[in-house]
Amino acid sequence: FGSRLPFGSGLNAAHRGTQSLARMGIGRDSRHKHYKTGGRSKTSIKKRKYEMGRPATPCKLGAKRVRSVRCRGGNMKYRALRLDAGNYAWGSENVTKKVRILDVVYNSTSNELVRTKTLLKNTVVQIDAHPFMQFYQKKYGQDLGKKKKGAAGEKTEKEEVKVSRHVLYKQKARAARQKLDSLLEEQFQSGRLLACIASRPGQCGRADGYVLEGEELAFYKKKLEKKKKN
């Protein structure tokens, strides 16, 4: 019955519409693109499975929510939809800790990604400094969270934490050789550190990275100050 209807009838038009919708999808091929001169290439082959793309699902800051995606060859990708923690390395001290991600502060791509608290690779975030402060106190015997006071204040702190003379000697020897960056020290007093995400949350389901220090920290500090003024 459908085949006897004229070509321009409503039934055939609807059928063609559903067919075109079924063929639509995200493709990563380059056959459909124009040449530099503006010409079009004749598409001699159909879309291929290996050229398939998937819709973007940006990871936001929130309680952990990760979905697994089966890929070509039976491989798996882990699509993070929400994350609130990750492993962050403090390079100069050669230590890594699992810490909470507190806020998204800078993204070179767009301020919209900062406003929506989207976690992407190379996003600058604020992380909880306390796990690193505990490590530093154990290694050097210095509390980075408190502002420096007189000698009397130091004595009372030492009396609170009971350690052997051998450990005290080791801590003093380490502290004598140690010089902490002034910008990092300021951040420790506020309890928050600036860090950069090095992993890809949409591919591996993790938001791991490293603590910013040195020239890189100074660079991003300037960027943030400039952003505040504007």
Side-chain angles (χ1 to χ4, degrees), residues 117-133:
K117 299 190 189 300
T118 306
L119 301 174
L120 300 168
K121 185 176 177 177
N122 227 44
T123 300
V124 177
V125 293
Q126 276 188 340
I127 59 170
D128 182 22
H130 289 91
F132 291 111
M133 284 156 68

Side-chain angles (χ1 to χ4, degrees), residues 119-179:
L119 301 174
L120 300 168
K121 185 176 177 177
N122 227 44
T123 300
V124 177
V125 293
Q126 276 188 340
I127 59 170
D128 182 22
H130 289 91
F132 291 111
M133 284 156 68
Q134 286 165 3
F135 155 79
Y136 201 89
Q137 188 165 17
K138 195 174 180 182
K139 189 175 180 182
Y140 297 105
Q142 294 174 0
D143 188 0
L144 293 172
K146 292 180 182 177
K147 290 178 182 177
K148 288 181 180 178
K149 294 177 184 176
E154 284 175 13
K155 280 178 186 175
T156 52
E157 281 172 25
K158 281 175 187 174
E159 282 167 9
E160 284 172 17
V161 183
K162 288 183 179 180
V163 260
S164 65
R165 281 183 296 171
H166 175 66
V167 172
L168 276 172
Y169 179 78
K170 279 208 295 188
Q171 286 176 344
K172 277 182 183 176
R174 286 175 190 153
R177 295 192 299 270
Q178 170 65 6
K179 191 181 179 183

Side-chain angles (χ1 to χ4, degrees), residues 40-208:
R40 298 291 298 265
S41 62
K42 289 186 178 179
T43 51
S44 55
I45 61 169
K46 292 180 180 179
K47 292 180 179 181
R48 295 288 188 255
K49 181 73 188 276
Y50 55 77
E51 293 165 350
M52 184 186 77
R54 293 186 185 86
T57 49
C59 176
K60 301 291 177 74
L61 187 63
K64 188 179 178 181
R65 192 188 302 168
V66 180
R67 299 286 178 267
S68 56
V69 181
R70 188 201 180 271
C71 305
R72 187 175 160 85
N75 295 310
M76 298 297 286
K77 281 184 181 179
Y78 298 96
R79 188 85 75 232
L81 306 178
R82 301 272 188 282
L83 284 174
D84 60 354
N87 296 325
Y88 284 81
W90 185 2
S92 60
E93 286 298 325
N94 200 21
V95 65
T96 302
K97 297 285 180 187
K98 186 177 181 179
V99 294
R100 285 187 306 122
I101 301 168
L102 303 173
D103 198 9
V104 179
V105 291
Y106 183 77
N107 193 306
S108 57
T109 308
S110 170
N111 285 332
E112 187 68 11
L113 298 170
V114 178
R115 189 185 67 79
T116 54
K117 299 190 189 300
T118 306
L119 301 174
L120 300 168
K121 185 176 177 177
N122 227 44
T123 300
V124 177
V125 293
Q126 276 188 340
I127 59 170
D128 182 22
H130 289 91
F132 291 111
M133 284 156 68
Q134 286 165 3
F135 155 79
Y136 201 89
Q137 188 165 17
K138 195 174 180 182
K139 189 175 180 182
Y140 297 105
Q142 294 174 0
D143 188 0
L144 293 172
K146 292 180 182 177
K147 290 178 182 177
K148 288 181 180 178
K149 294 177 184 176
E154 284 175 13
K155 280 178 186 175
T156 52
E157 281 172 25
K158 281 175 187 174
E159 282 167 9
E160 284 172 17
V161 183
K162 288 183 179 180
V163 260
S164 65
R165 281 183 296 171
H166 175 66
V167 172
L168 276 172
Y169 179 78
K170 279 208 295 188
Q171 286 176 344
K172 277 182 183 176
R174 286 175 190 153
R177 295 192 299 270
Q178 170 65 6
K179 191 181 179 183
L180 190 65
D181 187 359
S182 58
L183 287 173
L184 261 180
E185 201 167 354
E186 281 175 29
Q187 289 185 81
F188 273 116
Q189 284 167 11
S190 67
R192 292 178 170 218
L193 294 175
L194 286 178
C196 184
I197 296 175
S199 66
R200 298 169 70 194
Q203 306 291 315
C204 64
R206 298 160 70 97
D208 299 340

